[in-house]
Amino acid sequence: RFLLIIVIIGFIMSVAPSPVMASPVWELQYCTQTGMIPQMLRVSGGVLYGVSTRYFIISPDGVNYQEYVVANCDSLRLCSAFMLTPSVGYCCGCFVLSDNNLYRSVLYKTVNGGQSWTRTYQLERNRCFLKHIQFVSPQEGYVVMKFDFFGIRIYKTINAGQDWSIVFESEISSPSCADFQPNLKAVGRILSPFIITSPDGQSWQEAVDITSYPSYIMVSANRIITAVAQSVFYSDNQGASWSLADISQLGADFSPTTCLTTCGLSGVSGNLYMVSGIWDGNNDHPGIVRSLNNGASWQWLVLPTEMPDASGQIYGIVYWGEYIYISFHARIYRLHVGPPVANNDDVVSVAPV
């Protein structure tokens, strides 16, 4: 199997353009104290942070980290967090109840950079968990709730989390991923219709269907970018139509979605980085691909053989400053890629869908 991977990568190297990074220098920035594996990495409020089970990790500079316990409870499963400032933020997830592995959603707030957390008792429901939280301004934020079986509920706050109201609810499907920006919001679902969108967070529309459910989704400027099992799509009209991104330079065995969570896509100013890999017929082997034109076309940046850990278990990626950061097992690595560059790689979409 290893020889097969080498052969595949050798072919990719023979046809891949210059963006493939030769001998990338990965810097190990942090080994978690408890062995916790950050299930997400995000930057907001001027800090980098992540959550996993009952732990929260935060860094002001990507070099120095602090790790805190949100609640001393083994049944806590944190899924998402969002920092409004270096001090104030929220995290959310669920308790796994002892009877029949049922869930109870939970929301916490910190006012001291994660050193301590207060359970708000807001949005707590049995047979539900909070999958995603994100603010688009200091006052306006959103939470995505997943029901224990099928169902999705989206909550909105306009007073920094003091109160939450339901803006969307459906029992047709469950959420897979989400991204909320001031001008556009997009939520992926596991059953058709696969994506819903909203310009204002109040009125929601079903997008035209793509080929499968989204594993990653991102709003960048006025564009929605999403990755599914074998393709990458983008839409410039809130999902009314979709174009296939050009992935022709990535090889026939390219596998777009090899991150173990939905935090596999990150970007700034149209420079996007995605955890993607190579399928050898039995397993995925993740690497990093990059788009410099806001998701219209993609090239290899780091091949799977140049990743810092051969296990292939990446849990998140984020682009911050001049570095991409990845969560790999109980470690956080970073790689220097430089500041965002002008989007100068215009590629016509392969085909409308």
Side-chain angles (χ1 to χ4, degrees):
R1 182 181 301 170
F2 180 76
L3 290 176
L4 176 60
I5 299 169
I6 296 298
V7 170
I8 294 172
I9 291 176
F11 172 76
I12 292 172
M13 288 292 289
S14 69
V15 299
S18 59
V20 176
M21 185 175 287
S23 302
V25 180
W26 289 98
E27 303 173 23
L28 176 60
Q29 295 301 298
Y30 187 68
C31 294
T32 60
Q33 302 167 11
T34 60
M36 65 89 86
I37 300 173
Q39 298 291 302
M40 58 153 286
L41 290 177
R42 180 179 285 165
V43 169
S44 65
V47 290
L48 182 152
Y49 53 91
V51 293
S52 178
T53 58
R54 55 189 174 131
Y55 300 101
F56 174 80
I57 186 171
I58 187 169
S59 172
D61 54 13
V63 177
N64 302 287
Y65 292 80
Q66 294 292 327
E67 191 173 327
Y68 300 111
V69 175
V70 174
N72 193 17
C73 177
D74 289 339
S75 65
L76 180 59
R77 301 291 183 271
L78 294 172
C79 300
S80 182
F82 194 91
M83 297 300 292
L84 291 160
T85 71
S87 299
V88 179
Y90 290 88
C91 68
C92 64
C94 68
F95 295 109
V96 180
L97 305 180
S98 58
D99 51 334
N100 299 321
N101 290 321
L102 298 179
Y103 303 108
R104 181 172 180 82
S105 54
V106 65
L107 178 67
Y108 290 92
K109 182 178 181 179
T110 183
V111 295
N112 56 12
Q115 296 180 54
S116 62
W117 296 82
T118 301
R119 184 175 172 183
T120 67
Y121 292 94
Q122 297 169 294
L123 311 184
E124 293 203 13
R125 308 286 187 276
N126 285 332
R127 306 183 69 90
C128 297
F129 68 86
L130 303 183
K131 184 175 178 66
H132 185 91
I133 185 168
Q134 193 172 354
F135 281 75
V136 300
S137 75
Q139 298 295 316
E140 182 182 339
Y142 297 85
V143 165
V144 179
M145 175 182 284
K146 179 184 182 301
F147 298 164
D148 194 35
F149 186 58
F150 277 123
I152 177 176
R153 187 178 290 165
I154 301 173
Y155 290 88
K156 179 180 181 179
T157 180
I158 55 174
N159 56 11
Q162 295 182 48
D163 303 286
W164 299 85
S165 59
I166 300 172
V167 292
F168 180 84
E169 186 172 20
S170 172
E171 296 182 0
I172 295 176
S173 184
S174 295
S176 61
C177 51
D179 191 28
F180 297 86
Q181 299 299 327
N183 62 315
L184 183 58
K185 293 82 181 163
V187 178
R189 304 191 293 184
I190 64 173
L191 295 177
S192 175
F194 291 116
I195 295 174
I196 56 174
T197 67
S198 173
D200 57 10
Q202 289 294 137
S203 58
W204 292 82
Q205 302 82 37
E206 295 175 349
V208 169
D209 255 351
I210 50 180
T211 55
S212 181
Y213 76 87
S215 293
Y216 320 142
I217 199 165
M218 181 180 182
V219 175
S220 179
N222 294 313
R223 176 172 290 178
I224 303 172
I225 302 100
T226 186
V228 303
Q230 295 180 322
S231 304
V232 182
F233 294 90
Y234 64 92
S235 172
D236 292 326
N237 53 16
Q238 300 182 33
S241 63
W242 296 90
S243 296
L244 277 167
D246 181 0
I247 56 174
S248 60
Q249 299 179 35
L250 302 175
D253 298 294
F254 174 67
S255 181
T257 57
T258 56
C259 188
L260 296 180
T261 71
T262 61
C263 300
L265 176 60
S266 180
V268 174
S269 300
N271 288 207
L272 312 185
Y273 295 83
M274 185 164 64
V275 179
S276 300
I278 294 171
W279 172 252
D280 69 1
N282 294 295
N283 296 289
D284 279 316
H285 302 274
I288 308 292
V289 297
R290 176 170 66 179
S291 171
L292 299 180
N293 56 10
N294 209 23
S297 64
W298 296 83
Q299 298 83 33
W300 281 107
L301 179 71
V302 181
L303 293 168
T305 51
E306 300 293 339
M307 296 299 283
D309 187 313
S311 69
Q313 298 187 11
I314 304 180
Y315 291 84
I317 186 172
V318 68
Y319 179 32
W320 188 32
E322 297 189 5
Y323 293 86
I324 53 173
Y325 296 78
I326 61 172
S327 170
F328 230 136
H329 283 305
R331 298 173 175 84
I332 294 175
Y333 294 88
R334 75 175 186 178
L335 176 67
H336 185 259
V337 294
V341 299
N343 300 339
N344 56 5
D345 184 20
D346 293 328
V347 174
V348 178
S349 59
V350 176
V353 178

